[in-house]
């Protein structure tokens, strides 16, 4: 299998996560605890790094979602595979995503979480494929805009390969099979 080509280096990710954590910490200062909700699987590494660099009280929670038609050909319907354990009513919620592609997953999640009456609901995404977005979903804290390429590493996969690379790299999908 060909090694991914580096798109965003480990150092650039580290610097960006520091910046995001500082901005989020400043914005939530004095508001009490923020509940970070990571969308599995991809966001697990970003959440781990981001959450440890915040200087405000925080709690981490996880959800797993599954989307149909990822290739873009079908409805983009999303369903909850694993839900939160506890209520988020009255809590300050920050959704943490690794990547926003069409935006459908994040928009679905925001619509769902909003019905549960959090005190506030914001979003943080490490990367966004701006050219691909079909839904104008609100990203309050964004790491990087990237072109429409297949990215792996730092939580992102291609058919479960490359998730644990320390950088974000680009693969040609056919190179990664097997
Ligand atoms: C990725 C990513 C987002 C979603 C974004 O998850 O983590 O949740 O796709 O795509 P969208 O903006 O087009 O909706 P994926 O379905 O690849 O699952 P994984 O995180 O378990 O790899």
């Amino acid at each position: 299998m060909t090694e991914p080509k580096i798109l965003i280096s480990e150092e650039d990710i580290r610097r960006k996560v520091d910046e995001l954590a500082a901005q989020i910490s400043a914005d939530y200062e004095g508001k009490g605890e923020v509940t970070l909700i990571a969308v599995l699987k991809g966001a697990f590494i970003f959440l781990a790094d981001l959450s440890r660099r915040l200087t405000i009280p925080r709690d981490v929670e996880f959800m797993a979602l599954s989307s149909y038609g990822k290739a873009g050909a079908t409805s983009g319907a999303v369903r909850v595979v694993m839900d939160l354990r506890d209520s988020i009513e009255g809590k300050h919620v920050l959704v943490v995503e690794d990547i926003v592609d069409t935006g459908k997953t994040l928009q679905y999640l925001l619509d769902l979480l909003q019905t549960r009456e959090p005190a506030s609901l914001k979003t943080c995404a490490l990367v966004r494929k701006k050219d691909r977005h079909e839904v104008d979903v609100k990203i309050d804290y964004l790491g990087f805009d990237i072109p429409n390429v297949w990215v792996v590493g730092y939580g992102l996969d291609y058919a479960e390969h490359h998730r644990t690379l320390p950088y974000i790299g680009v693969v040609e999908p056919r190179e990664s099979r097997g």
Side-chain angles (χ1 to χ4, degrees):
M1 187 187 304
T2 314
E3 275 302 294
K5 294 190 189 79
I6 295 179
L7 180 69
I8 307 170
S9 71
E10 197 174 350
E11 176 58 21
D12 286 347
I13 295 172
R14 195 191 59 71
R15 219 178 293 124
K16 186 62 78 176
V17 175
D18 280 346
E19 274 174 31
L20 291 170
Q23 198 187 338
I24 293 165
S25 296
D27 290 355
Y28 284 87
E29 185 64 47
K31 290 189 176 172
E33 188 174 76
V34 58
T35 299
L36 305 168
I37 298 181
V39 184
L40 295 172
K41 294 180 184 177
F44 79 111
I45 292 178
F46 181 38
L47 177 84
D49 284 348
L50 183 72
S51 62
R52 289 179 295 172
R53 288 177 203 167
L54 296 175
T55 57
I56 47 170
R58 67 275 187 188
D59 173 31
V60 296
E61 300 291 343
F62 297 91
M63 286 183 80
L65 303 175
S66 173
S67 50
Y68 301 105
K70 284 294 292 181
T74 56
S75 66
V78 180
R79 77 188 162 94
V80 175
V81 175
M82 186 186 88
D83 207 336
L84 298 170
R85 287 185 187 171
D86 300 312
S87 166
I88 54 165
E89 189 178 341
K91 294 188 173 178
H92 291 291
V93 170
L94 179 63
V95 175
V96 177
E97 260 287 27
D98 50 336
I99 186 167
V100 177
D101 187 341
T102 65
K104 289 176 179 172
T105 304
L106 188 55
Q107 189 60 58
Y108 170 87
L109 186 58
L110 290 178
D111 291 345
L112 175 69
L113 295 179
Q114 195 61 62
T115 66
R116 301 181 183 182
E117 302 181 351
S120 68
L121 181 58
K122 289 175 123 183
T123 57
C124 177
L126 185 61
V127 298
R128 168 176 63 178
K129 285 188 188 174
K130 213 174 175 199
D131 297 344
R132 288 262 305 162
H133 85 277
E134 294 175 25
V135 177
D136 199 15
V137 65
K138 184 169 74 85
I139 303 177
D140 297 287
Y141 304 97
L142 176 66
F144 304 94
D145 268 321
I146 61 165
N148 185 22
V149 288
W150 196 292
V151 280
V152 295
Y154 202 73
L156 295 152
D157 74 308
Y158 175 72
E160 297 302 327
H161 294 296
H162 303 307
R163 264 195 211 283
T164 56
L165 285 176
Y167 59 89
I168 292 178
V170 177
V171 288
E172 291 295 327
R174 69 176 176 282
E175 291 177 1
S176 294
R177 285 201 186 114

mmCIF file of all heavy atoms in Angstrom, residues 39-42 67 70 97-105 157 163, ligand 1:
data_model
loop_
_atom_site.group_PDB
_atom_site.id
_atom_site.type_symbol
_atom_site.label_atom_id
_atom_site.label_comp_id
_atom_site.label_asym_id
_atom_site.label_seq_id
_atom_site.Cartn_x
_atom_site.Cartn_y
_atom_site.Cartn_z
ATOM 1 N N VAL A 39 -18.043 12.697 17.533
ATOM 2 C CA VAL A 39 -18.727 11.758 16.651
ATOM 3 C C VAL A 39 -17.721 10.678 16.242
ATOM 4 O O VAL A 39 -16.715 10.958 15.594
ATOM 5 C CB VAL A 39 -19.285 12.489 15.412
ATOM 6 C CG1 VAL A 39 -20.075 11.518 14.557
ATOM 7 C CG2 VAL A 39 -20.145 13.669 15.834
ATOM 8 N N LEU A 40 -18.014 9.457 16.654
ATOM 9 C CA LEU A 40 -17.131 8.327 16.352
ATOM 10 C C LEU A 40 -17.325 7.869 14.912
ATOM 11 O O LEU A 40 -18.397 8.078 14.354
ATOM 12 C CB LEU A 40 -17.451 7.169 17.300
ATOM 13 C CG LEU A 40 -17.158 7.466 18.769
ATOM 14 C CD1 LEU A 40 -17.688 6.344 19.651
ATOM 15 C CD2 LEU A 40 -15.677 7.680 18.997
ATOM 16 N N LYS A 41 -16.319 7.228 14.313
ATOM 17 C CA LYS A 41 -15.057 7.002 15.002
ATOM 18 C C LYS A 41 -14.086 8.165 14.822
ATOM 19 O O LYS A 41 -13.216 8.395 15.643
ATOM 20 C CB LYS A 41 -14.368 5.747 14.427
ATOM 21 C CG LYS A 41 -15.039 4.452 14.654
ATOM 22 C CD LYS A 41 -14.152 3.346 13.994
ATOM 23 C CE LYS A 41 -14.799 2.001 14.078
ATOM 24 N NZ LYS A 41 -13.981 0.972 13.388
ATOM 25 N N GLY A 42 -14.207 8.823 13.681
ATOM 26 C CA GLY A 42 -13.150 9.724 13.225
ATOM 27 C C GLY A 42 -12.657 10.766 14.215
ATOM 28 O O GLY A 42 -11.482 11.137 14.193
ATOM 29 N N SER A 67 -24.031 6.921 8.116
ATOM 30 C CA SER A 67 -24.688 7.597 7.008
ATOM 31 C C SER A 67 -24.761 6.678 5.807
ATOM 32 O O SER A 67 -23.875 5.863 5.568
ATOM 33 C CB SER A 67 -23.959 8.888 6.651
ATOM 34 O OG SER A 67 -22.595 8.639 6.495
ATOM 35 N N LYS A 70 -22.595 7.565 1.242
ATOM 36 C CA LYS A 70 -21.425 8.400 1.420
ATOM 37 C C LYS A 70 -20.796 8.802 0.092
ATOM 38 O O LYS A 70 -20.151 9.826 -0.006
ATOM 39 C CB LYS A 70 -20.373 7.665 2.258
ATOM 40 C CG LYS A 70 -20.692 7.608 3.716
ATOM 41 C CD LYS A 70 -20.677 8.969 4.352
ATOM 42 C CE LYS A 70 -19.256 9.527 4.388
ATOM 43 N NZ LYS A 70 -19.237 10.840 5.034
ATOM 44 N N GLU A 97 -16.064 17.374 15.520
ATOM 45 C CA GLU A 97 -16.016 16.503 14.328
ATOM 46 C C GLU A 97 -14.625 16.523 13.724
ATOM 47 O O GLU A 97 -13.931 17.545 13.768
ATOM 48 C CB GLU A 97 -17.015 17.005 13.274
ATOM 49 C CG GLU A 97 -18.317 16.239 13.253
ATOM 50 C CD GLU A 97 -18.202 14.837 12.655
ATOM 51 O OE1 GLU A 97 -17.111 14.241 12.701
ATOM 52 O OE2 GLU A 97 -19.224 14.335 12.164
ATOM 53 N N ASP A 98 -14.234 15.415 13.148
ATOM 54 C CA ASP A 98 -12.960 15.383 12.424
ATOM 55 C C ASP A 98 -13.099 16.062 11.070
ATOM 56 O O ASP A 98 -12.272 16.876 10.681
ATOM 57 C CB ASP A 98 -12.464 13.939 12.266
ATOM 58 C CG ASP A 98 -13.534 13.006 11.709
ATOM 59 O OD1 ASP A 98 -14.734 13.307 11.868
ATOM 60 O OD2 ASP A 98 -13.183 11.975 11.120
ATOM 61 N N ILE A 99 -14.171 15.720 10.345
ATOM 62 C CA ILE A 99 -14.308 16.264 8.991
ATOM 63 C C ILE A 99 -15.763 16.576 8.658
ATOM 64 O O ILE A 99 -16.663 15.830 9.042
ATOM 65 C CB ILE A 99 -13.702 15.302 7.934
ATOM 66 C CG1 ILE A 99 -13.703 15.937 6.536
ATOM 67 C CG2 ILE A 99 -14.425 13.971 7.923
ATOM 68 C CD1 ILE A 99 -12.836 15.183 5.526
ATOM 69 N N VAL A 100 -15.964 17.700 7.998
ATOM 70 C CA VAL A 100 -17.265 18.027 7.434
ATOM 71 C C VAL A 100 -17.099 17.975 5.925
ATOM 72 O O VAL A 100 -16.277 18.697 5.354
ATOM 73 C CB VAL A 100 -17.753 19.414 7.891
ATOM 74 C CG1 VAL A 100 -19.077 19.752 7.212
ATOM 75 C CG2 VAL A 100 -17.915 19.440 9.406
ATOM 76 N N ASP A 101 -17.853 17.077 5.328
ATOM 77 C CA ASP A 101 -17.742 16.836 3.886
ATOM 78 C C ASP A 101 -18.979 17.459 3.228
ATOM 79 O O ASP A 101 -18.976 18.647 2.906
ATOM 80 C CB ASP A 101 -17.635 15.319 3.685
ATOM 81 C CG ASP A 101 -17.342 14.903 2.262
ATOM 82 O OD1 ASP A 101 -17.559 15.701 1.351
ATOM 83 O OD2 ASP A 101 -16.905 13.760 2.037
ATOM 84 N N THR A 102 -20.052 16.705 3.073
ATOM 85 C CA THR A 102 -21.281 17.310 2.546
ATOM 86 C C THR A 102 -21.957 18.184 3.602
ATOM 87 O O THR A 102 -22.769 19.049 3.268
ATOM 88 C CB THR A 102 -22.291 16.236 2.118
ATOM 89 O OG1 THR A 102 -22.697 15.506 3.277
ATOM 90 C CG2 THR A 102 -21.702 15.290 1.092
ATOM 91 N N GLY A 103 -21.671 17.914 4.871
ATOM 92 C CA GLY A 103 -22.310 18.649 5.965
ATOM 93 C C GLY A 103 -23.561 17.964 6.492
ATOM 94 O O GLY A 103 -24.137 18.390 7.497
ATOM 95 N N LYS A 104 -23.978 16.885 5.840
ATOM 96 C CA LYS A 104 -25.250 16.245 6.226
ATOM 97 C C LYS A 104 -25.199 15.610 7.609
ATOM 98 O O LYS A 104 -26.166 15.670 8.366
ATOM 99 C CB LYS A 104 -25.644 15.203 5.178
ATOM 100 C CG LYS A 104 -26.097 15.824 3.875
ATOM 101 C CD LYS A 104 -26.382 14.753 2.840
ATOM 102 C CE LYS A 104 -26.858 15.389 1.540
ATOM 103 N NZ LYS A 104 -26.951 14.396 0.462
ATOM 104 N N THR A 105 -24.069 14.984 7.929
ATOM 105 C CA THR A 105 -23.961 14.323 9.233
ATOM 106 C C THR A 105 -24.065 15.354 10.359
ATOM 107 O O THR A 105 -24.829 15.187 11.314
ATOM 108 C CB THR A 105 -22.616 13.572 9.348
ATOM 109 O OG1 THR A 105 -22.503 12.664 8.256
ATOM 110 C CG2 THR A 105 -22.509 12.816 10.659
ATOM 111 N N ASP A 157 -10.066 7.701 8.094
ATOM 112 C CA ASP A 157 -9.670 6.419 7.505
ATOM 113 C C ASP A 157 -10.020 6.324 6.029
ATOM 114 O O ASP A 157 -10.848 7.083 5.527
ATOM 115 C CB ASP A 157 -10.386 5.273 8.218
ATOM 116 C CG ASP A 157 -11.866 5.201 7.832
ATOM 117 O OD1 ASP A 157 -12.557 6.231 7.931
ATOM 118 O OD2 ASP A 157 -12.328 4.125 7.397
ATOM 119 N N ARG A 163 -6.052 5.277 10.139
ATOM 120 C CA ARG A 163 -6.671 6.146 11.147
ATOM 121 C C ARG A 163 -5.671 6.713 12.144
ATOM 122 O O ARG A 163 -5.833 7.821 12.643
ATOM 123 C CB ARG A 163 -7.707 5.361 11.961
ATOM 124 C CG ARG A 163 -9.102 5.523 11.475
ATOM 125 C CD ARG A 163 -10.068 5.036 12.531
ATOM 126 N NE ARG A 163 -11.260 4.496 11.919
ATOM 127 C CZ ARG A 163 -12.246 5.242 11.416
ATOM 128 N NH1 ARG A 163 -12.190 6.544 11.472
ATOM 129 N NH2 ARG A 163 -13.293 4.665 10.862
HETATM 130 C C1 LIG B 1 -17.129 10.981 8.499
HETATM 131 C C2 LIG B 1 -16.888 12.117 9.491
HETATM 132 C C3 LIG B 1 -18.234 12.755 9.611
HETATM 133 C C4 LIG B 1 -18.883 12.494 8.266
HETATM 134 C C5 LIG B 1 -18.861 13.725 7.450
HETATM 135 O O1 LIG B 1 -17.555 9.872 9.186
HETATM 136 O O2 LIG B 1 -16.389 11.671 10.710
HETATM 137 O O3 LIG B 1 -18.975 12.212 10.667
HETATM 138 O O4 LIG B 1 -18.126 11.478 7.617
HETATM 139 O O5 LIG B 1 -19.495 13.525 6.194
HETATM 140 P P1 LIG B 1 -20.671 14.427 5.664
HETATM 141 O O6 LIG B 1 -20.317 15.868 5.973
HETATM 142 O O7 LIG B 1 -20.672 14.171 4.175
HETATM 143 O O8 LIG B 1 -21.923 14.009 6.304
HETATM 144 P P2 LIG B 1 -17.642 8.409 8.518
HETATM 145 O O9 LIG B 1 -19.039 8.164 8.042
HETATM 146 O O10 LIG B 1 -16.542 8.269 7.506
HETATM 147 O O11 LIG B 1 -17.416 7.453 9.743
HETATM 148 P P3 LIG B 1 -16.121 7.251 10.691
HETATM 149 O O12 LIG B 1 -15.891 8.564 11.400
HETATM 150 O O13 LIG B 1 -16.531 6.166 11.617
HETATM 151 O O14 LIG B 1 -14.949 6.882 9.813
#
